[in-house]
Amino acid sequence: MHNTADLQDIVDEIAGLLGASATLEDRSFRLLAYGAQHGDIDTVRQESILRRRASPEVRDYFERYGIARAHGPVRIPADEGLKVLARICWPLRHGEVTYGYLWLLDSGSLTDARLGRVAPLVARAAAALAREARSRQDLGRRLDALLSPAPEERAA
């Protein structure tokens, strides 16, 4: 399972440095950490926190902005019809793989320069998610070997 304490610390630090509402989700849009919410929040944010997961409709909406392939912050405009506030999605990439997303509600104050101040924290969160994914893969391989019908694999 994810090291949520480390991820929570990172999200709290990012939210504090930027003065913005922040959440961190894995690539399946499952909530892993969130900071204290500043100012207005929308229904999407409320549902994400309360249900610990974004709905498939919300996921589809945000994925239309190319967030899974983006290599940096993606600005997503407000949509009054959907009751979505403007936000920034920062894909948590390590290597060429997206492991999750940092979401920041943006009232217009999150300039590229301000975002640059938290880039090392974003990289740290991405690395933590990548390490976790590698650990799960390694554990799966070891479990497969342990349960193998081949005695030499089980012994190893």
Side-chain angles (χ1 to χ4, degrees):
M1 198 44 98
H2 296 287
N3 181 352
T4 54
D6 188 40
L7 294 174
Q8 185 63 57
D9 290 344
I10 293 169
V11 169
D12 286 341
E13 191 169 349
I14 289 170
L17 286 169
L18 296 177
S21 298
T23 59
L24 189 148
E25 297 174 337
D26 66 14
R27 66 177 159 211
S28 67
F29 286 65
R30 185 173 55 92
L31 184 68
L32 301 176
Y34 63 94
Q37 302 299 295
H38 303 273
D40 292 334
I41 64 172
D42 57 19
T43 303
V44 169
R45 177 60 52 95
Q46 290 172 7
E47 290 292 315
S48 177
I49 291 171
L50 292 173
R51 301 196 190 293
R52 303 199 61 77
R53 175 177 296 284
S55 72
E57 297 80 21
V58 167
R59 181 180 177 159
D60 290 346
Y61 172 74
F62 288 130
E63 284 179 338
R64 282 186 239 148
Y65 286 90
I67 61 174
R69 296 174 309 282
H71 288 270
V74 176
R75 293 182 184 277
I76 300 175
D79 185 315
E80 287 185 30
L82 294 173
K83 298 181 181 170
V84 173
L85 294 175
R87 55 190 12 93
I88 293 172
C89 175
W90 198 328
L92 299 172
R93 295 180 67 87
H94 191 74
E96 289 301 311
V97 178
T98 299
Y99 290 96
Y101 303 100
L102 173 70
W103 296 95
L104 303 163
L105 293 182
D106 183 20
S107 62
S109 65
L110 296 178
T111 63
D112 291 344
R114 289 188 66 212
L115 291 173
R117 292 178 38 209
V118 299
L121 292 165
V122 172
R124 196 170 108 202
L129 291 176
R131 275 191 308 277
E132 180 69 28
R134 280 192 305 275
S135 284
R136 282 193 312 273
Q137 289 171 345
D138 291 344
L139 180 61
R141 282 191 289 273
R142 288 190 299 245
L143 186 57
D144 287 346
L146 182 63
L147 299 174
S148 171
E152 61 278 0
E153 278 192 56
R154 284 193 313 270

